[in-house]
Amino acid sequence: MHLAYPAVLSTLLFCTGLYGVLARRNAILVLMSVELMLNAVNLNLVAFDVWLSRTARDTLHSGQALTLFTIAIAAAEIGIGLAIVLAVHRNRGTADIDRLRDTAEDREHGTPADGPAEEKAEATA
């Protein structure tokens, strides 16, 4: 198989992930887009490792080793990212990035934002 096939597929995956990061409003979809980008990097690492191992006799398969590290980093990133998104969703009632940014700006200016934490505070007062 030629190197061009996995390189083109990797480019398409990376561009799809980049579009998802830039265009999506939901934090979970942004995390999924970051995972797509990391998978594109993994595909490139393995494809170039196989391509370079054909040219050199004694190789260490460093591309495949780096892929394992990237998979471990991606697993940690998705675990921590989902925990943060769930905590924010519990406190603010939404995972929409624009609304989270708006509520943060409202709190800086001293105007109360609408959300579950403010509604609970108003109900108890």
Side-chain angles (χ1 to χ4, degrees), residues 22-104:
L22 296 176
R24 297 294 176 190
R25 305 281 187 236
N26 193 344
I28 294 175
L29 292 177
V30 170
L31 287 174
M32 289 173 60
S33 298
V34 170
E35 289 293 321
L36 268 178
M37 292 167 63
L38 287 172
N39 284 331
V41 169
N42 286 339
L43 181 60
N44 255 343
L45 284 171
V46 171
F48 277 99
D49 182 52
V50 169
W51 182 66
L52 290 175
S53 69
R54 289 182 184 168
T55 59
R57 294 280 181 212
D58 298 324
T59 59
L60 296 175
H61 297 290
S62 57
Q64 293 177 13
L66 285 174
T67 299
L68 291 176
F69 285 115
T70 308
I71 290 171
I73 289 170
E77 175 259 334
I78 199 69
I80 292 171
L82 280 176
I84 291 171
V85 168
L86 287 175
V88 167
H89 188 275
R90 281 188 198 148
N91 288 334
R92 304 273 177 95
T94 185
D96 188 15
I97 294 174
D98 289 337
R99 287 196 57 207
L100 292 175
R101 187 179 307 130
D102 292 341
T103 57

